[in-house]
Short mmCIF file of all heavy atoms in Angstrom, two decimals:
data_model
loop_
_atom_site.label_atom_id
_atom_site.label_comp_id
_atom_site.label_asym_id
_atom_site.label_seq_id
_atom_site.Cartn_x
_atom_site.Cartn_y
_atom_site.Cartn_z
N GLY A 1 0.80 -1.21 0.00
CA GLY A 1 0.00 0.00 0.00
C GLY A 1 0.83 1.26 0.00
O GLY A 1 2.01 1.27 0.34
N GLY A 2 0.20 2.33 -0.41
CA GLY A 2 0.82 3.64 -0.42
C GLY A 2 -0.26 4.69 -0.52
O GLY A 2 -1.45 4.39 -0.46
N SER A 3 0.14 5.90 -0.71
CA SER A 3 -0.81 7.01 -0.76
C SER A 3 -1.81 6.82 -1.89
O SER A 3 -1.45 6.64 -3.05
CB SER A 3 -0.04 8.33 -0.96
OG SER A 3 -0.93 9.40 -1.10
N GLY A 4 -3.10 6.83 -1.54
CA GLY A 4 -4.16 6.78 -2.53
C GLY A 4 -4.44 5.41 -3.12
O GLY A 4 -5.26 5.28 -4.01
N GLN A 5 -3.77 4.36 -2.61
CA GLN A 5 -3.94 3.04 -3.19
C GLN A 5 -4.99 2.20 -2.48
O GLN A 5 -5.38 1.15 -2.98
CB GLN A 5 -2.60 2.30 -3.20
CG GLN A 5 -1.60 2.92 -4.16
CD GLN A 5 -0.22 2.30 -4.05
OE1 GLN A 5 0.01 1.40 -3.27
NE2 GLN A 5 0.71 2.80 -4.84
N GLY A 6 -5.46 2.65 -1.30
CA GLY A 6 -6.47 1.89 -0.58
C GLY A 6 -5.98 0.48 -0.29
O GLY A 6 -4.84 0.26 0.10
N ASN A 7 -6.87 -0.51 -0.49
CA ASN A 7 -6.47 -1.89 -0.23
C ASN A 7 -6.30 -2.68 -1.52
O ASN A 7 -6.35 -3.90 -1.52
CB ASN A 7 -7.50 -2.59 0.68
CG ASN A 7 -8.84 -2.79 -0.01
OD1 ASN A 7 -9.09 -2.23 -1.08
ND2 ASN A 7 -9.71 -3.58 0.59
N ARG A 8 -6.09 -1.98 -2.62
CA ARG A 8 -5.89 -2.69 -3.89
C ARG A 8 -4.39 -2.84 -4.17
O ARG A 8 -3.81 -2.15 -5.01
CB ARG A 8 -6.60 -1.99 -5.04
CG ARG A 8 -6.78 -2.91 -6.24
CD ARG A 8 -7.56 -2.26 -7.37
NE ARG A 8 -7.89 -3.24 -8.40
CZ ARG A 8 -7.06 -3.62 -9.37
NH1 ARG A 8 -5.85 -3.08 -9.43
NH2 ARG A 8 -7.44 -4.53 -10.24
N HIS A 9 -3.77 -3.73 -3.43
CA HIS A 9 -2.37 -4.09 -3.64
C HIS A 9 -2.20 -5.53 -3.17
O HIS A 9 -3.07 -6.09 -2.49
CB HIS A 9 -1.43 -3.14 -2.89
CG HIS A 9 -1.75 -2.94 -1.45
ND1 HIS A 9 -1.32 -3.79 -0.46
CD2 HIS A 9 -2.49 -1.98 -0.82
CE1 HIS A 9 -1.76 -3.36 0.72
NE2 HIS A 9 -2.47 -2.28 0.53
N VAL A 10 -1.10 -6.16 -3.56
CA VAL A 10 -0.93 -7.59 -3.30
C VAL A 10 -1.02 -7.90 -1.82
O VAL A 10 -1.67 -8.88 -1.41
CB VAL A 10 0.40 -8.09 -3.88
CG1 VAL A 10 0.64 -9.55 -3.49
CG2 VAL A 10 0.43 -7.94 -5.40
N ASP A 11 -0.41 -7.09 -0.97
CA ASP A 11 -0.40 -7.37 0.46
C ASP A 11 -1.81 -7.43 1.03
O ASP A 11 -2.12 -8.31 1.84
CB ASP A 11 0.44 -6.31 1.18
CG ASP A 11 0.74 -6.70 2.62
OD1 ASP A 11 0.85 -7.91 2.89
OD2 ASP A 11 0.84 -5.80 3.47
N ALA A 12 -2.67 -6.50 0.63
CA ALA A 12 -4.05 -6.50 1.12
C ALA A 12 -4.87 -7.62 0.48
O ALA A 12 -5.65 -8.30 1.14
CB ALA A 12 -4.71 -5.15 0.87
N LEU A 13 -4.69 -7.82 -0.82
CA LEU A 13 -5.46 -8.84 -1.53
C LEU A 13 -5.05 -10.25 -1.14
O LEU A 13 -5.75 -11.22 -1.46
CB LEU A 13 -5.31 -8.66 -3.04
CG LEU A 13 -5.86 -7.34 -3.61
CD1 LEU A 13 -5.65 -7.29 -5.12
CD2 LEU A 13 -7.33 -7.16 -3.28
N ALA A 14 -3.92 -10.39 -0.43
CA ALA A 14 -3.50 -11.70 0.04
C ALA A 14 -4.52 -12.33 0.97
O ALA A 14 -4.50 -13.54 1.21
CB ALA A 14 -2.13 -11.60 0.73
N GLU A 15 -5.45 -11.51 1.52
CA GLU A 15 -6.55 -12.06 2.32
C GLU A 15 -7.36 -13.06 1.51
O GLU A 15 -7.97 -13.98 2.06
CB GLU A 15 -7.46 -10.93 2.79
CG GLU A 15 -6.84 -9.96 3.78
CD GLU A 15 -6.83 -10.50 5.21
OE1 GLU A 15 -7.31 -11.62 5.41
OE2 GLU A 15 -6.32 -9.80 6.10
N ALA A 16 -7.39 -12.89 0.19
CA ALA A 16 -8.16 -13.79 -0.68
C ALA A 16 -7.34 -15.00 -1.11
O ALA A 16 -7.81 -15.80 -1.92
CB ALA A 16 -8.64 -13.02 -1.91
N LEU A 17 -6.13 -15.15 -0.57
CA LEU A 17 -5.25 -16.25 -0.95
C LEU A 17 -4.98 -17.19 0.22
O LEU A 17 -3.96 -17.90 0.24
CB LEU A 17 -3.92 -15.69 -1.48
CG LEU A 17 -4.00 -14.80 -2.72
CD1 LEU A 17 -2.62 -14.26 -3.08
CD2 LEU A 17 -4.61 -15.56 -3.90
N MET A 18 -5.88 -17.21 1.20
CA MET A 18 -5.67 -18.06 2.37
C MET A 18 -5.92 -19.53 2.05
O MET A 18 -5.29 -20.42 2.61
CB MET A 18 -6.54 -17.58 3.51
CG MET A 18 -6.10 -16.22 4.05
SD MET A 18 -7.32 -15.40 5.11
CE MET A 18 -7.40 -16.55 6.47
N PHE A 19 -6.87 -19.83 1.17
CA PHE A 19 -7.14 -21.19 0.71
C PHE A 19 -7.22 -22.19 1.87
O PHE A 19 -6.58 -23.25 1.85
CB PHE A 19 -6.09 -21.65 -0.30
CG PHE A 19 -6.02 -20.81 -1.54
CD1 PHE A 19 -4.84 -20.19 -1.94
CD2 PHE A 19 -7.15 -20.62 -2.34
CE1 PHE A 19 -4.78 -19.42 -3.09
CE2 PHE A 19 -7.10 -19.85 -3.50
CZ PHE A 19 -5.92 -19.25 -3.87
N GLY A 20 -8.02 -21.85 2.88
CA GLY A 20 -8.24 -22.76 3.99
C GLY A 20 -7.26 -22.64 5.13
O GLY A 20 -7.44 -23.28 6.18
N PHE A 21 -6.22 -21.82 5.00
CA PHE A 21 -5.27 -21.62 6.10
C PHE A 21 -5.77 -20.51 7.02
O PHE A 21 -6.60 -19.69 6.64
CB PHE A 21 -3.88 -21.28 5.54
CG PHE A 21 -3.13 -22.47 5.03
CD1 PHE A 21 -3.52 -23.10 3.86
CD2 PHE A 21 -2.04 -22.97 5.71
CE1 PHE A 21 -2.84 -24.20 3.37
CE2 PHE A 21 -1.33 -24.06 5.23
CZ PHE A 21 -1.73 -24.69 4.06
N LYS A 22 -5.25 -20.49 8.23
CA LYS A 22 -5.72 -19.55 9.24
C LYS A 22 -5.28 -18.13 8.96
O LYS A 22 -6.03 -17.17 9.19
CB LYS A 22 -5.21 -19.98 10.62
CG LYS A 22 -5.66 -19.08 11.77
CD LYS A 22 -5.18 -19.64 13.11
CE LYS A 22 -3.66 -19.64 13.21
NZ LYS A 22 -3.19 -20.04 14.55
N ASP A 23 -4.06 -17.95 8.47
CA ASP A 23 -3.49 -16.61 8.27
C ASP A 23 -3.27 -16.33 6.79
O ASP A 23 -3.07 -17.25 5.99
CB ASP A 23 -2.15 -16.49 9.01
CG ASP A 23 -2.31 -16.71 10.51
OD1 ASP A 23 -3.26 -16.16 11.09
OD2 ASP A 23 -1.48 -17.45 11.07
N LYS A 24 -3.29 -15.06 6.46
CA LYS A 24 -3.02 -14.70 5.07
C LYS A 24 -1.53 -14.87 4.78
O LYS A 24 -0.69 -14.70 5.68
CB LYS A 24 -3.46 -13.27 4.79
CG LYS A 24 -2.53 -12.18 5.28
CD LYS A 24 -2.96 -10.81 4.76
CE LYS A 24 -1.92 -9.74 5.11
NZ LYS A 24 -2.27 -8.41 4.56
N PRO A 25 -1.16 -15.19 3.54
CA PRO A 25 0.26 -15.33 3.20
C PRO A 25 0.98 -13.99 3.25
O PRO A 25 0.37 -12.93 3.13
CB PRO A 25 0.23 -15.89 1.77
CG PRO A 25 -1.10 -15.49 1.23
CD PRO A 25 -2.04 -15.47 2.39
N LYS A 26 2.28 -14.06 3.43
CA LYS A 26 3.11 -12.88 3.64
C LYS A 26 4.02 -12.64 2.44
O LYS A 26 4.61 -13.58 1.91
CB LYS A 26 3.93 -13.06 4.91
CG LYS A 26 3.07 -13.28 6.15
CD LYS A 26 3.80 -14.04 7.23
CE LYS A 26 2.89 -14.29 8.42
NZ LYS A 26 1.74 -15.17 8.06
N LEU A 27 4.17 -11.37 2.06
CA LEU A 27 5.07 -11.03 0.97
C LEU A 27 6.51 -11.35 1.35
O LEU A 27 6.96 -11.05 2.46
CB LEU A 27 4.98 -9.54 0.63
CG LEU A 27 3.94 -9.12 -0.42
CD1 LEU A 27 2.53 -9.39 0.08
CD2 LEU A 27 4.11 -7.65 -0.76
N VAL A 28 7.23 -12.00 0.44
CA VAL A 28 8.64 -12.31 0.65
C VAL A 28 9.52 -11.25 -0.01
O VAL A 28 10.59 -10.91 0.47
CB VAL A 28 8.97 -13.71 0.09
CG1 VAL A 28 10.45 -14.00 0.18
CG2 VAL A 28 8.17 -14.77 0.85
N HIS A 29 9.07 -10.72 -1.14
CA HIS A 29 9.79 -9.66 -1.85
C HIS A 29 8.77 -8.84 -2.62
O HIS A 29 7.58 -9.14 -2.59
CB HIS A 29 10.86 -10.25 -2.79
CG HIS A 29 10.29 -11.14 -3.84
ND1 HIS A 29 10.30 -10.85 -5.18
CD2 HIS A 29 9.67 -12.35 -3.76
CE1 HIS A 29 9.73 -11.81 -5.87
NE2 HIS A 29 9.33 -12.74 -5.02
N ARG A 30 9.23 -7.81 -3.31
CA ARG A 30 8.31 -6.91 -4.02
C ARG A 30 8.70 -6.76 -5.48
O ARG A 30 9.84 -7.00 -5.85
CB ARG A 30 8.30 -5.53 -3.35
CG ARG A 30 7.79 -5.51 -1.93
CD ARG A 30 7.86 -4.12 -1.35
NE ARG A 30 9.24 -3.65 -1.23
CZ ARG A 30 9.59 -2.39 -0.95
NH1 ARG A 30 8.65 -1.48 -0.74
NH2 ARG A 30 10.85 -2.05 -0.86
N LEU A 31 7.71 -6.35 -6.27
CA LEU A 31 7.95 -5.90 -7.63
C LEU A 31 7.41 -4.48 -7.75
O LEU A 31 6.44 -4.12 -7.07
CB LEU A 31 7.23 -6.79 -8.65
CG LEU A 31 7.73 -8.24 -8.83
CD1 LEU A 31 6.82 -8.98 -9.80
CD2 LEU A 31 9.17 -8.26 -9.31
N ASP A 32 8.02 -3.68 -8.63
CA ASP A 32 7.46 -2.36 -8.91
C ASP A 32 6.02 -2.50 -9.39
O ASP A 32 5.65 -3.51 -9.98
CB ASP A 32 8.27 -1.64 -9.98
CG ASP A 32 9.67 -1.27 -9.52
OD1 ASP A 32 9.91 -1.30 -8.31
OD2 ASP A 32 10.51 -0.97 -10.39
N ARG A 33 5.23 -1.48 -9.16
CA ARG A 33 3.82 -1.51 -9.54
C ARG A 33 3.61 -1.92 -10.99
O ARG A 33 2.75 -2.75 -11.31
CB ARG A 33 3.18 -0.14 -9.30
CG ARG A 33 1.70 -0.07 -9.69
CD ARG A 33 1.17 1.33 -9.54
NE ARG A 33 1.89 2.26 -10.42
CZ ARG A 33 1.76 3.58 -10.37
NH1 ARG A 33 0.95 4.12 -9.47
NH2 ARG A 33 2.42 4.36 -11.20
N ASP A 34 4.39 -1.35 -11.91
CA ASP A 34 4.16 -1.59 -13.33
C ASP A 34 4.94 -2.78 -13.87
O ASP A 34 4.81 -3.12 -15.05
CB ASP A 34 4.50 -0.33 -14.13
CG ASP A 34 3.56 0.82 -13.81
OD1 ASP A 34 2.37 0.55 -13.58
OD2 ASP A 34 4.02 1.98 -13.77
N THR A 35 5.74 -3.42 -13.03
CA THR A 35 6.45 -4.64 -13.42
C THR A 35 5.55 -5.84 -13.16
O THR A 35 4.94 -5.94 -12.09
CB THR A 35 7.76 -4.79 -12.64
OG1 THR A 35 8.58 -3.65 -12.87
CG2 THR A 35 8.51 -6.04 -13.06
N SER A 36 5.46 -6.73 -14.12
CA SER A 36 4.64 -7.93 -13.96
C SER A 36 5.53 -9.12 -13.63
O SER A 36 6.76 -9.04 -13.69
CB SER A 36 3.86 -8.21 -15.24
OG SER A 36 4.76 -8.38 -16.34
N GLY A 37 4.89 -10.24 -13.27
CA GLY A 37 5.64 -11.48 -13.15
C GLY A 37 5.67 -12.09 -11.77
O GLY A 37 4.84 -11.79 -10.91
N LEU A 38 6.67 -12.94 -11.56
CA LEU A 38 6.70 -13.85 -10.42
C LEU A 38 6.98 -13.14 -9.09
O LEU A 38 7.96 -12.40 -8.96
CB LEU A 38 7.75 -14.93 -10.65
CG LEU A 38 7.31 -16.04 -11.61
CD1 LEU A 38 8.51 -16.77 -12.19
CD2 LEU A 38 6.38 -17.02 -10.90
N MET A 39 6.09 -13.40 -8.14
CA MET A 39 6.25 -12.95 -6.76
C MET A 39 5.99 -14.12 -5.84
O MET A 39 5.07 -14.91 -6.08
CB MET A 39 5.25 -11.83 -6.41
CG MET A 39 5.63 -10.46 -6.83
SD MET A 39 4.47 -9.24 -6.12
CE MET A 39 4.87 -9.38 -4.37
N LEU A 40 6.78 -14.24 -4.77
CA LEU A 40 6.60 -15.30 -3.80
C LEU A 40 5.93 -14.77 -2.54
O LEU A 40 6.26 -13.68 -2.06
CB LEU A 40 7.93 -15.93 -3.42
CG LEU A 40 8.70 -16.66 -4.53
CD1 LEU A 40 9.99 -17.24 -3.96
CD2 LEU A 40 7.86 -17.75 -5.16
N LEU A 41 4.98 -15.54 -2.01
CA LEU A 41 4.36 -15.27 -0.73
C LEU A 41 4.51 -16.51 0.13
O LEU A 41 4.46 -17.64 -0.38
CB LEU A 41 2.87 -14.94 -0.87
CG LEU A 41 2.51 -13.61 -1.56
CD1 LEU A 41 2.49 -13.77 -3.08
CD2 LEU A 41 1.14 -13.11 -1.08
N ALA A 42 4.74 -16.32 1.42
CA ALA A 42 4.93 -17.43 2.34
C ALA A 42 3.71 -17.58 3.24
O ALA A 42 3.13 -16.59 3.69
CB ALA A 42 6.18 -17.19 3.19
N ARG A 43 3.33 -18.82 3.50
CA ARG A 43 2.14 -19.06 4.33
C ARG A 43 2.42 -18.89 5.82
O ARG A 43 1.49 -18.71 6.60
CB ARG A 43 1.61 -20.47 4.07
CG ARG A 43 1.02 -20.69 2.67
CD ARG A 43 0.22 -21.97 2.68
NE ARG A 43 -0.25 -22.38 1.37
CZ ARG A 43 -1.40 -22.01 0.83
NH1 ARG A 43 -2.18 -21.17 1.48
NH2 ARG A 43 -1.77 -22.48 -0.35
N THR A 44 3.68 -18.96 6.24
CA THR A 44 4.03 -18.83 7.65
C THR A 44 5.21 -17.88 7.81
O THR A 44 5.98 -17.65 6.87
CB THR A 44 4.41 -20.20 8.26
OG1 THR A 44 5.60 -20.68 7.63
CG2 THR A 44 3.28 -21.21 8.08
N ASP A 45 5.38 -17.38 9.03
CA ASP A 45 6.52 -16.51 9.33
C ASP A 45 7.84 -17.24 9.13
O ASP A 45 8.81 -16.66 8.65
CB ASP A 45 6.43 -16.01 10.77
CG ASP A 45 5.30 -15.01 10.98
OD1 ASP A 45 4.90 -14.36 10.00
OD2 ASP A 45 4.82 -14.89 12.12
N ARG A 46 7.86 -18.52 9.50
CA ARG A 46 9.10 -19.30 9.36
C ARG A 46 9.53 -19.39 7.91
O ARG A 46 10.71 -19.17 7.59
CB ARG A 46 8.88 -20.69 9.94
CG ARG A 46 10.06 -21.64 9.74
CD ARG A 46 9.67 -23.06 10.05
NE ARG A 46 10.69 -24.01 9.66
CZ ARG A 46 10.51 -25.32 9.54
NH1 ARG A 46 9.31 -25.83 9.80
NH2 ARG A 46 11.48 -26.13 9.18
#
């Protein structure tokens, strides 16, 4: 998230990627807004 972006970003939308798990997945790294492609999210802090 950032100024004026509300909850329309990967970190917020990760709530829709729980797929039966208790917690939402966590961003491991970032891509620029206009860059597309592979991003990893982790299901646990570990």
Side-chain angles (χ1 to χ4, degrees):
S3 177
Q5 292 173 0
N7 68 348
R8 198 176 189 278
H9 51 84
V10 175
D11 192 31
L13 296 180
E15 294 280 0
L17 299 177
M18 292 165 64
F19 299 124
F21 283 71
K22 181 177 65 174
D23 300 316
K24 78 171 187 177
K26 301 155 182 64
L27 270 65
V28 175
H29 61 113
R30 296 178 296 169
L31 291 176
D32 292 344
R33 179 185 61 189
D34 295 324
T35 302
S36 59
L38 282 159
M39 278 189 68
L40 296 181
L41 292 84
R43 292 195 187 271
T44 65
D45 290 335
R46 174 193 171 196

